[in-house]
Amino acid sequence: MNFIKMHGLGNDFVIVDCFREKITADPPELARQVCDRHLGVGADGLVFIWPHAEADFRMQIINSDGSEAEMCGNAIRCMARYAYETGLVSKTELEVETLAGRRHPELIISDGEVKAVKVDMGEPVLDPAQVPVQLGGDRVVNEPLALARQLLQMTCVSMGNPHCLLFVPNVAAVPLTQIGPEVENHPLFPRKTNVEFIQVLNRNEVKMRVWERGAGETLACGTGACATVVGCVLTGRTNQKITVHLTLGSLEVEWAQDNHVYMTGPTTEVFRGTYAPR
Ligand code: ZDP
């Protein structure tokens, strides 16, 4: 199986072009094998580009634990660039079908190269039943979250996939591997959740670390960065357009007047290869 290894700020993926490859293996099991950093290629997720009748292509994202996610921000940027550079598409504004609905990446080209990708990530969802998080009311903003050894304050946003936002004074000091799984698997989240730890630097910049549903700590999360700007605005901490600083770089995100969240960031192709499924 031919694949392309790409990443968005270190959130890395094995991408399989199903316009050209025939997939016979079971996707969840294939993802667990391929994403294994010792026995496979190694990645945070396995992503398939499928043909689609009405859209330029359909994106399917499987986390490294084999669970399927509704949407993926860093990967959609990588796939948009791959589709353009390999001639799957010949335009710079694309339509991508996902489990979260249609998404619209735009390739930012200069000197013939894809310098960045700007994605309309759609509208955030605050209704607890749709995040989903099992609390009442019309939104979950600054609500208590009781863990085994501490009481946190959370804000919950869906960008098609669930996010639990926790504001902290210093992201570097967060015991991510201890708190992350406890929140990811908390009974309040029937479909588990991604967990973002956010340190507000000023009204235009934040630092963020993420414990991802189905993948653990990753270096970046595009949907998480989009959920972050929504949570920051809802809690009065930042402006609508901010820079989200991640471990290896930053994403520019804006919760715009049209209620859509726009995310702009880089993509990197690392290598191409052939994988022999076990
Ligand atoms: O929602 C989830 O299960 C996420 N782990 C999917 C992957 C999200 C991603 N990190 C992103 O950039 O949005 C790829």
Side-chain angles (χ1 to χ4, degrees):
M1 179 182 79
N2 293 309
F3 68 86
I4 310 95
K5 183 74 189 308
M6 297 186 79
H7 71 81
L9 295 175
N11 184 205
D12 62 339
F13 308 99
V14 168
I15 298 175
V16 180
D17 175 352
C18 298
F19 284 79
R20 299 170 171 119
E21 290 295 313
K22 183 167 171 43
I23 302 301
T24 52
D26 166 59
E29 180 49 35
L30 183 59
R32 285 187 286 269
Q33 285 183 17
V34 166
C35 294
D36 186 304
R37 295 193 186 278
H38 296 287
L39 305 178
V41 177
D44 292 329
L46 172 62
V47 190
F48 297 106
I49 302 178
W50 294 106
H52 188 272
E54 285 97 43
D56 293 304
F57 58 84
R58 177 170 70 86
M59 171 177 82
Q60 181 182 22
I61 162 100
I62 317 275
N63 288 309
S64 54
D65 73 347
S67 62
E68 184 164 0
E70 302 83 350
M71 180 47 202
C72 171
N74 286 317
I76 198 171
R77 295 202 314 274
C78 294
M79 298 166 80
R81 172 180 162 189
Y82 168 80
Y84 180 78
E85 292 183 341
T86 59
L88 277 182
V89 297
S90 54
K91 53 187 179 176
T92 57
E93 295 191 17
L94 310 186
E95 292 254 334
V96 179
E97 188 62 29
T98 76
L99 280 181
R102 199 62 61 86
R103 293 292 185 267
H104 308 279
E106 177 190 352
L107 296 150
I108 299 169
I109 314 261
S110 72
D111 303 329
E113 276 189 32
V114 178
K115 291 298 183 203
V117 184
K118 178 176 184 180
V119 188
D120 174 353
M121 295 287 282
E123 299 185 66
V125 172
L126 303 178
D127 172 12
Q130 294 184 65
V131 172
V133 53
Q134 292 178 329
L135 287 174
D138 64 353
R139 57 184 56 184
V140 176
V141 176
N142 288 333
E143 292 294 338
L145 175 65
L147 300 185
R149 282 190 290 276
Q150 64 244 81
L151 183 66
L152 302 175
Q153 237 189 11
M154 68 175 171
T155 295
C156 298
V157 178
S158 170
M159 291 304 302
N161 57 350
H163 295 274
C164 177
L165 308 173
L166 302 166
F167 292 95
V168 296
N170 176 7
V171 287
V174 172
L176 215 74
T177 53
Q178 177 231 313
I179 299 181
E182 192 174 354
V183 178
E184 173 193 2
N185 298 290
H186 197 285
L188 280 178
F189 298 100
R191 284 164 52 185
K192 298 185 177 183
T193 186
N194 296 285
V195 192
E196 282 79 19
F197 299 88
I198 304 154
Q199 176 184 345
V200 178
L201 302 176
N202 56 61
R203 290 196 61 82
N204 300 305
E205 291 179 277
V206 304
K207 278 185 179 178
M208 190 262 271
R209 287 177 70 197
V210 59
W211 177 271
E212 281 199 35
R213 175 182 66 169
E217 180 172 10
T218 64
L219 290 171
C221 183
T223 51
C226 296
T228 292
V229 68
V230 175
C232 286
V233 171
L234 288 176
T235 58
R237 289 180 165 93
T238 70
N239 298 324
Q240 306 255 156
K241 188 171 185 178
I242 62 172
T243 298
V244 179
H245 296 287
L246 298 143
T247 306
L248 298 183
S250 59
L251 292 171
E252 300 301 321
V253 285
E254 178 180 12
W255 186 11
Q257 292 309 311
D258 62 2
N259 196 41
H260 287 229
V261 182
Y262 295 88
M263 167 192 65
T264 304
T267 63
T268 305
E269 176 174 336
V270 185
F271 61 90
R272 300 188 183 193
T274 304
Y275 177 76
R278 276 176 263 152

